Amino acid sequence: MNFKALLRHFKFTSQERTGIFLLFIIIIVLQAVYFLADFSVPEKSFPEKQEWISLQTEIDSLKSIRYNEKPKVYTFNPNFISDYKGYKLGMSIEEIDRLLAFRKENKYVNSVEEFQQVTKVSDSLLNVISPLFKFPDWTQNKSTFKTEKKEYVRKSYLKKEKAEVLDINVATQEDLIKVYGIGEALSLRILKQKEILGCFVSMEQMKDIWGLSPEVVMELNSHFKVVIPSNLKKIAVNDASLKELSQFPYFRYALAKQIVTTRSMNGNFNNIEDLSKIKDFPVDKAKIISLYLEF
């Protein structure tokens, strides 16, 4: 190996040696700055951020309380169990039908035992749902009720005989509020619905008013009846425009458009049966709707 040729690469002039020395100095200074200087960016303080954090903590605590809360359980009178309510409770279709058939005879179950006799539900299901039952107070005080039964029946009978059945189309808010279960809000809702329809043509329409329970509807039926006014302006279904039909509460715009289209293609409708053949027509309300129409 030729060492002399190799050593030539390590011979520097005075200027080169000075340059190399300065390079080392610069490297050492940069290393010192790198290890000793603090290059971290100071974090800015935002007062709003602290408020958000505190609020988030409060929200998290409220959420945990809410998730740990047990749902409220409401009691109910088992005499008024509907198909859907019975399904949610775990009753079979046959058990629900037995109860509905019993109620159609205008009879009421007044105890847990009587409920099981009528519906024939199993003991296990009865143990689960019976704590939710709430019967009228008088069923819990039968001994007191029996001693006054004759007088109570006689008085209630006399009251029913004297009770005046009013036409719901002329009833005022004061008349409606007299019915048990109806307050200011529900009475106004009934009057508003009557205003939208022009008048009621059937007491069945009470079931369509939001907020009226089956018990309250029964009370309304015992205090009111429907007398269709002679000046009821009916809709001439064969001449009415699309706008007139779509403004009728029982028709949506899409249905009104189909009625107009079918009428233009097939000619006039002769009766409600012809009209009910149209797709999406509310067949379950056909009888009520027919009383508002003119063919």
Side-chain angles (χ1 to χ4, degrees), residues 69-123:
E69 279 184 351
K70 292 184 178 179
K72 292 183 179 179
V73 178
Y74 297 95
T75 56
F76 58 90
N77 190 332
N79 286 289
F80 301 103
I81 291 177
S82 61
D83 289 337
Y84 178 73
K85 181 74 172 178
Y87 168 77
K88 294 292 286 185
L89 291 172
M91 296 175 64
S92 66
I93 296 174
E94 293 77 12
E95 292 166 350
I96 298 170
D97 288 344
R98 291 187 194 109
L99 178 62
L100 295 178
F102 183 78
R103 287 287 294 110
K104 281 183 180 178
E105 297 176 6
N106 202 25
K107 296 178 182 179
Y108 294 85
V109 293
N110 298 317
S111 66
V112 175
E113 294 76 15
E114 192 173 354
F115 178 82
Q116 187 177 31
Q117 290 174 4
V118 171
T119 60
K120 302 189 184 329
V121 297
S122 63
D123 292 338

Side-chain angles (χ1 to χ4, degrees), residues 101 139 152 184 206 209 254 258 269:
T139 61
Y152 174 80
E184 184 177 351
M206 297 300 105
I209 299 175
Q258 289 189 60
F269 299 102

Side-chain angles (χ1 to χ4, degrees), residues 23-90:
L23 180 61
F24 275 112
I25 295 296
I26 292 171
I27 292 173
I28 292 170
V29 171
L30 290 176
Q31 289 291 328
V33 171
Y34 176 76
F35 286 108
L36 299 177
D38 185 8
F39 292 100
S40 61
V41 179
E43 185 177 354
K44 293 182 180 180
S45 176
F46 296 98
E48 296 85 356
K49 184 178 180 181
Q50 298 301 324
E51 292 181 11
W52 295 339
I53 293 173
S54 62
L55 285 173
Q56 186 61 47
T57 304
E58 185 177 350
I59 291 170
D60 292 340
S61 64
L62 291 174
K63 281 184 178 179
S64 64
I65 293 172
R66 182 182 176 185
Y67 291 146
N68 293 329
E69 279 184 351
K70 292 184 178 179
K72 292 183 179 179
V73 178
Y74 297 95
T75 56
F76 58 90
N77 190 332
N79 286 289
F80 301 103
I81 291 177
S82 61
D83 289 337
Y84 178 73
K85 181 74 172 178
Y87 168 77
K88 294 292 286 185
L89 291 172

Side-chain angles (χ1 to χ4, degrees), residues 196-213:
I196 292 171
L197 294 169
C199 71
F200 293 116
V201 296
S202 170
M203 288 301 292
E204 289 291 317
Q205 292 172 290
M206 297 300 105
K207 297 177 181 179
D208 299 331
I209 299 175
W210 183 81
L212 294 184
S213 64

